[in-house]
Amino acid sequence: MKHRLSILLLLVSYVTLACGQIVFPSPNQVEMKKGKLTLRKNISMYTADTTAFYISLLRSEVLRDTSVKWQSKASAAHICWMNDPSLPPEGYKISINPKQMTITASGERGFIYAVQTLRQWVSGPAGKLTFACADITDSPRMQWRCFLLDSGRQYQRISTIKKYIDMASLLKMNYFHWHLTEGLGWRIEIKRYPHLAQVGGSVGKAEEQHGFYTQEEIREVINYASQRNITIVPEIDMPGHAEAALSAHPELGCFGLPVEVPQQGFTQNIFCAGKDEVLTFLKNVLDEVCELFPSPYIHLGGDEAPKGNWNKCEDCQKRIAALNLKDGHDLQLWFSAQMANHLKQKGRKAIFWGDVVYQDGYPLPDNTVIQWWNYRGHKDLALRNA
């Protein structure tokens, strides 16, 4: 019985290899055909733009740097790139027969995703690349396909971040939520306030928690991601998870005192919402963030902001009384609205974690997006309230 089962598994494996390819995520439609396209040295290619990034990506990741000869006629090329404005912006078609491969898209984003599919479709060593014949039609089912990297708690090298971006693009993700500030580290250089990164980037105890990204490095990562059809959404957490920032600028807290940086979790030390100079400081930070990041969305955190200090702070209590707010949570909603309105003036949308809508209170502006996260703690409360 075991012998028969082994034979059956081998036959199934052979059929899978012979009749289909595994691509993740699965394309919308794949029609397998007989035969295969084999490309050797001096591959010929037809394209309207030999300098496009997707061409270089195909040559490095699919053709494995095999030499290419450019053709002026599509019919004479092994690989042919064609534009079709009727296709969705991120959609593409790949048609492979034993003589030619034709890649069709309406623009650069679709061509990038076609290359990512071909990276998983190709087999064989350089000099003898093989593609199973098929017609592939694909476009994303979800507009927002995102991954998050927490660089606040753990500093990563630029080379490591680029590897994550490569993997995300291979999986056809198009947003990168970059968590850049945290109690354990402020990772983004702010030219106007250099101590934020110089001091706040090294408050963690472990060596791998030390470091920050210069604006030049951030631009490099933004460009790298953009080439691969990924928009970076930066997160600058406020008012909570601010211990690293308060280590550099204690005056931004309620009492202006040195703070303890937690190695886990968070403390009562958050940005003071009662001082006008704190709001001005954070708006200046957001000005530089917006200059760096072209993303239409800027994430402002808003989670896990305990109100113990605000409840004792004269400035915060004066603000609550002057605005006729109910409590510290209402004050956070007011604070969040000030920041969101500042982004609105720049044509940006503000994202907050669901914590800001656990209770009703001061109204948030219409450029606000709520990100639901804490089902364990609050079930679907944030989702329903949002």
Side-chain angles (χ1 to χ4, degrees), residues 42-90:
N42 297 319
I43 298 169
S44 60
M45 192 181 302
Y46 170 82
T47 178
D49 184 1
T50 60
T51 63
F53 174 74
Y54 55 82
I55 298 291
S56 62
L57 187 65
L58 179 96
R59 295 185 67 176
S60 63
E61 299 299 330
V62 180
L63 304 185
R64 298 163 194 171
D65 296 319
T66 304
S67 60
V68 168
K69 180 174 64 175
W70 304 108
Q71 288 285 355
S72 58
K73 293 183 178 180
S75 58
H78 294 120
I79 301 175
C80 180
W81 303 82
M82 303 296 290
N83 282 88
D84 182 353
S86 68
L87 291 176
E90 294 182 306

Side-chain angles (χ1 to χ4, degrees), residues 334-354:
W334 174 85
F335 169 92
S336 300
Q338 307 314 300
M339 297 301 156
N341 276 319
H342 187 69
L343 292 178
K344 187 175 183 178
Q345 295 172 8
K346 299 176 176 294
R348 309 299 182 94
K349 296 181 180 180
I351 303 178
F352 295 101
W353 294 113

Side-chain angles (χ1 to χ4, degrees), residues 138-165:
D138 195 19
S139 61
R141 287 169 289 179
M142 305 267 185
Q143 289 187 355
W144 185 285
R145 307 177 304 280
C146 185
F147 74 103
L148 182 151
L149 181 64
D150 185 351
S151 296
R153 293 178 175 87
Q154 171 88 32
Y155 173 81
Q156 297 94 16
R157 292 175 295 181
I158 296 297
S159 59
T160 300
I161 295 172
K162 287 181 176 180
K163 288 181 181 179
Y164 282 123
I165 290 171

Side-chain angles (χ1 to χ4, degrees), residues 314-332:
E314 291 184 4
D315 294 313
C316 289
Q317 292 304 306
K318 286 179 182 178
R319 180 88 75 188
I320 289 173
L323 297 172
N324 198 27
L325 301 175
K326 292 181 291 186
D327 52 22
H329 179 77
D330 214 12
L331 179 60
Q332 182 177 349

